[in-house]
Amino acid sequence: MPGIFLRRDEDELVHLHGELYESEDQLQELLEANPELLLGETADSGRPSKYLLVRREAGVPEADGGSDRWFLDHLFLDAEGVPTLVEVKRSSDSRIRREVVGQMLDYAANILAHWPPERMRDEFEARCNHAGVEPTEKVREISDGDYEDYWTRVKTNLAAKRLRLVFVADEIPASLQTVVEFLNEQMRAAEVLAVEVKQHKGDGVTVLTTQIIGRTSTARHAKAVTEKREWSSELGLDEIRRSSSAETVTVAERLLSWATDHNLQVAWGSGAKIG
């Protein structure tokens, strides 16, 4: 582990020592108040630059209309409306090595299957109302677009199964790192990452350091080459509504209606953008 020193002036160095979190809840509260800890050192093009907390302890059902069976530690959204699922474990918790991976995949699969996009919006707005915050202002903090357009993007991402799965701990064991890198290289629509958030203390000072794990060169290449969507009428119209004028949307809807009336087959194709 590298030595970490705080330089107070030219002549004084404070040696900071790594210190474990007192509880998992402490690390969860830290992320709730400071979601930028998930960003790592840089916010390059194509990567999230800010996160918006939808809910902490988000309930996940096992069936449509069923009661919540699991509870995800945090559900965030990024500026592009990509849902980001975060599960927190301390390195001292033995479940971080294997059980947490299956747990996260359960969350992801069942949110996609049983969480309608409207629920994500309802959860976010309920949280804002409880805190006395205007939901549109919170969205504006991370996205320059229109409020309704933002939630259309969220809906489009969910329909395309575009998620980000993030494991957070004070130390990511090698066994979990291996699994995270493998999943991130194999999964195309979803991104799988691990984030170490270490704390270092000394002489009344606390310094936090973060490291993102999973963005290997292989994963970056695979996602860049194969990133595409299988477009459908629903996804295509959602994207047109998000990115085009009202007049363009009207024309598109009329064209599709005309094609349907004339029993024509519409081929939307696949690709990162609408053809």
Side-chain angles (χ1 to χ4, degrees):
M1 180 177 178
I4 296 179
F5 297 83
L6 176 68
R7 187 178 185 183
R8 283 199 167 137
D9 52 46
E10 292 186 359
D11 300 320
E12 183 183 5
L13 289 178
V14 177
H15 188 193
L16 303 179
H17 302 273
E19 186 170 311
L20 297 177
Y21 295 96
E22 294 178 0
S23 65
E24 184 178 298
D25 190 63
Q26 183 186 17
L27 183 50
Q28 289 180 6
E29 290 178 354
L30 186 63
L31 290 174
E32 179 180 1
N34 306 280
E36 60 268 26
L37 289 169
L38 299 173
L39 297 174
E41 184 178 14
T42 60
D44 297 335
S45 175
R47 296 180 184 176
S49 57
K50 291 183 179 179
Y51 281 113
L52 183 73
L53 178 63
V54 174
R55 183 181 174 89
R56 183 176 166 188
E57 296 296 332
V60 182
E62 193 177 25
D64 288 343
S67 58
D68 294 331
R69 176 176 177 180
W70 305 280
F71 289 89
L72 173 70
D73 288 340
H74 302 83
L75 175 61
F76 292 96
L77 291 167
D78 70 11
E80 297 303 317
V82 176
T84 300
L85 286 56
V86 176
E87 189 65 12
V88 178
K89 290 285 186 290
R90 288 191 298 166
S91 58
S92 57
D93 189 336
S94 62
R95 293 175 298 171
I96 196 174
R97 283 162 175 80
R98 295 184 65 179
E99 184 178 325
V100 69
V101 176
Q103 189 178 34
M104 178 69 89
L105 294 177
D106 268 335
Y107 296 158
N110 285 279
I111 282 177
L112 288 172
H114 308 305
W115 257 57
E118 294 74 21
R119 175 174 174 178
M120 199 166 292
R121 178 171 176 168
D122 290 344
E123 295 275 11
F124 169 72
E125 292 179 346
R127 177 178 172 275
C128 288
N129 292 333
H130 184 265
V133 177
E134 178 58 43
T136 56
E137 292 300 320
K138 292 300 292 182
V139 169
R140 196 172 290 120
E141 290 178 6
I142 71 165
S143 175
D144 296 330
D146 177 78
Y147 187 73
E148 294 299 327
D149 287 345
Y150 181 79
W151 289 106
T152 297
R153 272 182 276 164
V154 173
K155 181 179 180 180
T156 300
N157 287 324
L158 286 170
K161 296 179 170 49
R162 188 173 295 106
L163 299 173
R164 184 175 297 107
L165 315 180
V166 183
F167 304 93
V168 177
D170 52 339
E171 183 176 353
I172 301 298
S175 56
L176 178 58
Q177 177 174 340
T178 299
V179 174
V180 165
E181 291 176 349
F182 171 78
L183 289 175
N184 200 35
E185 291 170 2
Q186 298 301 315
M187 299 177 75
R188 297 299 180 255
E191 185 175 35
V192 184
L193 303 172
V195 180
E196 280 188 346
V197 182
K198 295 178 178 289
Q199 67 173 353
H200 315 269
K201 294 187 176 184
D203 198 17
V205 175
T206 300
V207 171
L208 302 175
T209 60
T210 64
Q211 179 183 3
I212 292 183
I213 294 167
R215 286 188 177 135
T216 64
S217 58
T218 301
R220 287 195 295 268
H221 177 72
K223 292 180 188 299
V225 170
T226 62
E227 185 180 20
K228 60 172 61 177
R229 293 190 231 182
E230 294 298 327
W231 292 94
S232 64
S233 178
E234 180 182 5
L235 288 176
L237 284 174
D238 281 345
E239 180 65 16
I240 292 170
R241 294 185 185 109
R242 184 188 73 80
S243 60
S244 304
S245 66
E247 291 80 2
T248 301
V249 172
T250 298
V251 171
E253 291 174 339
R254 290 175 64 186
L255 281 171
L256 288 171
S257 178
W258 180 88
T260 300
D261 292 343
H262 289 77
N263 297 315
L264 299 178
Q265 182 179 359
V266 179
W268 286 87
S270 60
K273 298 181 179 180
I274 295 178

